[in-house]
Amino acid sequence: MILGFTFKENCPDVRNIKVIDIYNALKEYNVNLTIYDPWVKPDAVMHEYGIKTINKFPEGKDYSAIILAVAHKEFMSISFQKHKNNGCIIYDVKGIVDFADARL
């Protein structure tokens, strides 16, 4: 799962985003990706990039890895420890949590 798809935190702008590089690199390995961003309009992302995004966090799903790509304030209310307890690896691109397994 990738958390965030905007240019910067707490902003809906999807122009000139760097997250697309992470997305494209992972897609080369045929990884099944979910992109959650509460700030984007899924229709706009689909139109601009041809990528499906969601703007509601999918509770109750387990992920192998979570990549914190944008520091949206909404991400601080996610129970990351629950996901870690289920074996999820957390990569923190923006340095917003102190319990990440790795920083990119």
Side-chain angles (χ1 to χ4, degrees):
M1 168 180 261
I2 297 175
L3 298 181
F5 201 74
T6 62
F7 176 70
K8 66 179 184 173
E9 63 276 355
N10 308 319
C11 170
D13 191 355
V14 293
R15 296 173 295 161
N16 300 317
I17 59 172
K18 297 298 182 191
V19 179
I20 195 71
D21 297 333
I22 296 170
Y23 175 86
N24 288 333
L26 291 171
K27 286 309 273 186
E28 288 182 14
Y29 295 96
N30 294 319
V31 175
N32 183 19
L33 292 172
T34 299
I35 300 173
Y36 163 58
D37 193 314
W39 285 85
V40 301
K41 294 180 179 164
D43 291 342
V45 174
M46 180 58 78
H47 179 266
E48 184 72 25
Y49 297 98
I51 297 172
K52 180 183 177 189
T53 60
I54 58 174
N55 55 10
K56 183 174 183 209
F57 188 76
E59 293 291 340
K61 291 198 173 192
D62 290 330
Y63 296 96
S64 301
I66 295 175
I67 300 171
L68 285 142
V70 181
H72 292 318
K73 62 185 175 193
E74 287 85 355
F75 297 161
M76 298 316 295
S77 64
I78 295 172
S79 176
F80 290 107
Q81 198 58 43
K82 175 186 158 213
H83 292 285
K84 282 184 66 62
N85 289 344
N86 290 333
C88 179
I89 297 170
I90 298 179
Y91 297 94
D92 186 0
V93 175
K94 301 302 279 187
I96 62 173
V97 295
D98 59 357
F99 53 81
D101 296 299
R103 302 223 192 279
L104 295 177

